[in-house]
Amino acid sequence: MSDERLLCVSEEPEVAVALVRLARSLTGPGTGRVVAVVLPGSAPDAAERLAAAGADEVRPVDGPALTDPHVVADLLAEIVAAVSPSVLLVGSTKRGREAAGHLAGVLDLPATTGVTGLRLDADGIRVDREALSGNAVAVERIVRRPAIVAMMPGFSAPPAAPSPSPGRVRQPPRATAPLTERTELRPKAGGQLEIEKADRIVTIGRGLRKKEDLPIVEALARALGAEVGCTRPLAAEAGWLTDDHWIGLTGHRVHPALYVAVGVSGAVQHLVGMRSSRVVVAINKDPNAPIFAQADYRITGDLYQIVPALTKALGG
Amino acid sequence: MGEKLRIWTAVKHGLDVNLTRADRTTGLVRVESAPRKTSDFDKNAVEEAVRVRERLGGVVTAISVGGPAAREALREAIAIGADEAILVTGDRWAEWDTRAVARLLAAATRKLGGFDLFLLGEGSTDHFAGLVGPRLAGELRCAGIAYARRLTAAAEGVVVEKDLEKEVEVVRAAYPVVVSVGQEINTPRIPTFMANLKASKKEVRVLGPPDLDVPAEALAPVVVVERVAVPEIPRKQQTIAGTTPDEIAARLRDALRGEGVLP
Ligand SMILES: Cc1cc2nc3c(=O)[nH]c(=O)nc-3n(C[C@H](O)[C@H](O)[C@H](O)COP(=O)(O)OP(=O)(O)OC[C@H]3O[C@@H](n4cnc5c(N)ncnc54)[C@H](O)[C@@H]3O)c2cc1C
């Protein structure tokens, strides 16, 4: 427990709530101070939800939604000056990392991203973060406060602990001129699937010879009540599946109860996305494929024979 | 921009994540002795820089902050098509964190006359923090655009398609601008034998923090890596075999039923 001030902000409502819960558990109930920024364009109940999660103070910012990192950094710099937190917690989303970096440059603050664990020690702030493309976990010590810590979305947040009398401070918008201009915002193709929430996933890799063969894998997924995932080449290079199916370092991190990797070699950048699956099945024709070292059940064989047989065995 | 477009590109000589191994008993990775290579996305940045020059003219300056071996990353950048190479190095380079790197990059651009377009990878293959590009823009108080998947450069500025988790954002900025790129922006060319040969003869300009007016204190690490370990996740590693695909499938189904993971 510590008597520190922690500032939380994220453009993702769920992440923002998780950050506040984490901050509250770090200070302990009744000690320190947890302040949460409500970004412009948030849902009407955002401030309430942050207070219920444990914020002592919410700071709603008026005005239109902010996208330019320079404008976001300028606003956050002002709030940091007003609140003087020891840690600014943000989400390690793309926008979160970008804003964190920009602000860190403006204020010359220490910053780290992709964090899964955070401790406020007397000799510094300690974080666990992914390292070596997710191959490893690094422990980093931040030697100076304030610091910016970007938490990996989906990190395990402690339960909510509402503050007895949360305060509300209106944060006026700033008149900073943006340095970039948004001309368009469009949803990505696909984009509806939330594979990070799936309970069962069948992932297909380059072992699939052509797009027309996808139904073989989709049939297995149906029989298992699973979503279809894929490796980077299938989404980014071949375009056979949209980005929302992409699992790995540059795709999605998933943690299903069952993960079936079909024709996937098991590159480190892929493994980082699926490592926290509970039961892993690998089907690969190469007995030396690295994925086998990460599997509970290993089948060496041709996916074109095994997958249809498995679908049938499951009654599909 | 002035007469000629000034394009900078940063390359990191980072750890080769496919070749780093953990000690069997401790699970710790010995980072100091691990093999290194040019960070993947930085090659995309160099390629994009060269493409912009091919269309609009200008000069491509490749810069690396690191140890003596980082010359290899600069050699690769020259082989792809960069015109000049700068190595920023010093006795304590191994402890420079993302803050120190961004400060040195910023100082180098200030010292050497500025830039119009600064391209770099959106994350390094080893650290993957995604901070150096945005930090550099923040440090210089200039426009920054991260996660670029497509870039169109013109005489006055750039239009970038930015790849967010669920959206594509199209963003416009005037020079100077720092753009961090992902792997999807292009496929870096494989340098020809001649290009490689010429690149290995190219002179690299070596600068230290004092040459860039950066005092040593300004580079003292604020984020220190204490340990890097490979987490051991126990897996059953059970082989399911049989004489026919149907037999194998039935065995797997039974195993999964036993695990309680079937619907
Ligand atoms: C910075 C960076 C980030 C990256 N991010 C990601 C990421 O987020 N996600 C990701 O997935 N990758 C990522 N990658 C790419 C990664 O390194 C690998 O290239 C990729 O994961 C390989 O995909 P794959 O397993 O489908 O293909 P391959 O490596 O080509 O493997 C295909 C496998 O299929 C097997 N196979 C072939 N035919 C059959 C058959 N008939 N039956 C059964 N098995 C068969 C082969 O034995 C082989 O093991 C990234 C790379 C870099 C450098």
Side-chain angles (χ1 to χ4, degrees):
Chain A
M1 305 295 113
S2 88
D3 192 26
E4 306 204 42
R5 256 172 285 185
L6 304 178
L7 182 61
C8 306
V9 59
S10 176
E11 78 290 356
E12 286 292 329
E14 279 176 40
V15 176
V17 165
L19 293 177
V20 167
R21 282 160 49 182
L22 172 67
R24 183 79 279 167
S25 81
L26 288 168
T27 64
T31 57
R33 190 160 180 81
V34 177
V35 180
V37 178
V38 183
L39 288 171
S42 298
D45 64 345
E48 250 162 79
R49 292 187 57 201
L50 294 169
D56 297 305
E57 176 186 314
V58 288
R59 286 193 169 238
V61 185
D62 299 326
L66 305 175
T67 58
D68 177 54
H70 182 70
V71 173
V72 175
D74 186 70
L75 170 77
L76 292 178
E78 186 176 78
I79 299 178
V80 166
V83 176
S84 53
S86 53
V87 185
L88 168 61
L89 288 166
V90 304
S92 196
T93 58
K94 288 183 176 180
R95 281 199 198 284
R97 288 195 296 268
E98 186 178 26
H102 208 96
L103 178 66
V106 169
L107 294 182
D108 190 20
L109 298 181
T112 187
T113 61
V115 174
T116 52
L118 170 63
R119 295 171 295 282
L120 304 177
D121 294 335
D123 63 343
I125 298 160
R126 277 202 177 67
V127 303
D128 303 321
R129 73 179 295 273
E130 288 177 353
L132 307 181
S133 290
N135 209 2
V137 175
V139 178
E140 291 181 349
R141 183 167 65 95
I142 306 174
V143 301
R144 214 173 72 184
R145 297 174 197 208
I148 307 176
V149 174
M151 298 296 300
M152 202 67 193
F155 73 93
S156 71
S163 166
S165 52
R168 195 182 176 99
V169 177
R170 286 223 93 80
Q171 180 72 40
R174 303 262 299 164
T176 329
L179 295 174
T180 60
E181 182 199 350
R182 176 203 276 181
T183 56
E184 193 188 334
L185 182 72
R186 57 170 190 266
K188 278 193 188 179
Q192 315 309 326
L193 176 62
E194 291 188 290
I195 199 149
E196 57 275 20
K197 295 190 178 148
D199 210 31
R200 283 179 291 273
I201 296 172
V202 176
T203 289
I204 183 68
R206 273 216 309 221
L208 197 73
R209 280 185 219 118
K210 49 186 194 300
K211 187 178 183 187
E212 290 66 37
D213 296 342
L214 269 176
I216 302 174
V217 180
E218 287 163 349
L220 175 60
R222 251 193 322 277
L224 280 170
E227 300 290 357
V228 174
C230 70
T231 59
R232 179 181 177 279
L234 264 63
E237 286 158 22
W240 293 351
L241 288 157
T242 46
D243 288 3
D244 46 342
H245 296 267
W246 172 352
I247 292 167
L249 180 69
T250 43
H252 298 268
R253 316 292 160 108
V254 297
H255 26 82
L258 175 64
Y259 192 85
V260 184
V262 181
V264 171
S265 61
V268 291
Q269 297 92 351
H270 182 76
L271 297 178
V272 58
M274 51 69 72
R275 187 168 280 142
S276 25
S277 306
R278 187 158 82 72
V279 175
V280 177
V281 177
I283 302 170
N284 198 302
K285 68 175 184 192
D286 173 7
N288 298 316
I291 187 76
F292 281 139
Q294 305 292 329
D296 295 293
Y297 298 101
R298 338 166 17 146
I299 296 176
T300 307
D302 182 356
L303 75 91
Y304 285 89
Q305 295 183 353
I306 305 291
V307 172
L310 188 55
T311 307
K312 197 170 71 179
L314 291 162
Chain B
M1 86 180 247
E3 283 166 20
K4 273 187 178 172
L5 199 62
R6 295 161 301 173
I7 309 164
W8 283 57
T9 175
V11 284
K12 176 176 182 179
H13 198 236
L15 301 174
D16 187 338
V17 296
N18 291 311
L19 299 179
T20 43
R21 294 280 173 273
D23 183 288
R24 282 239 186 93
T25 46
T26 60
L28 294 180
V29 177
R30 275 181 306 254
V31 173
E32 309 76 37
S33 57
R36 289 178 174 260
K37 64 165 211 170
T38 306
S39 193
D40 298 277
F41 298 180
D42 292 344
K43 286 197 222 175
N44 299 91
V46 176
E47 173 67 33
E48 200 62 25
V50 172
R51 288 185 191 188
V52 171
R53 185 201 58 206
E54 285 168 350
R55 275 196 348 98
L56 300 176
V59 177
V60 175
T61 303
I63 182 168
S64 186
V65 177
R71 282 172 182 273
E72 175 53 21
L74 291 166
R75 192 198 59 74
E76 273 191 79
I78 295 286
I80 292 173
D83 300 296
E84 38 183 65
I86 300 169
L87 173 64
V88 179
T89 189
D91 299 342
R92 317 199 70 161
W93 70 271
E95 64 181 38
W96 288 344
D97 55 15
T98 52
R99 166 177 169 269
V101 171
R103 295 195 80 163
L104 287 167
L105 292 175
T109 65
R110 281 196 201 103
K111 191 78 181 180
L112 302 175
F115 61 87
D116 297 302
L117 175 60
F118 197 120
L119 288 157
L120 71 176
E122 68 185 27
S124 57
T125 326
D126 53 355
H127 202 55
F128 212 74
L131 287 172
V132 173
R135 271 202 98 111
L136 177 63
E139 181 98 27
L140 295 170
R141 311 271 189 298
C142 75
I145 306 175
Y147 306 104
R149 289 295 175 275
R150 182 175 294 192
L151 177 137
T152 315
E156 300 310 322
V158 292
V159 178
V160 170
E161 277 190 21
K162 191 168 165 171
D163 179 272
L164 298 172
E165 281 85 355
K166 295 205 154 45
E167 291 144 338
V168 175
E169 186 179 37
V170 184
V171 175
R172 191 157 60 187
Y175 298 130
V177 59
V178 178
V179 180
S180 328
V181 310
Q183 217 172 3
E184 290 70 39
I185 196 164
N186 58 40
T187 305
R189 67 197 72 182
I190 310 286
T192 61
F193 176 74
M194 281 310 289
N196 274 319
L197 193 68
K198 267 177 73 185
S200 58
K201 294 186 179 147
K202 180 87 186 179
E203 199 189 321
V204 172
R205 184 168 178 190
V206 181
L207 298 171
D211 301 315
L212 302 173
D213 305 327
V214 180
E217 316 84 82
L219 302 173
V222 291
V223 181
V224 181
V225 178
E226 291 191 321
R227 87 191 227 129
V228 179
V230 173
E232 200 53 60
I233 295 168
R235 293 288 176 198
K236 295 199 176 78
Q237 305 225 6
Q238 208 164 307
T239 299
I240 308 256
T243 47
T244 63
D246 286 334
E247 198 181 335
I248 296 172
R251 287 190 179 146
L252 178 62
R253 178 200 58 209
D254 295 345
L256 296 182
R257 208 169 264 157
E259 294 277 1
V261 290
L262 292 183

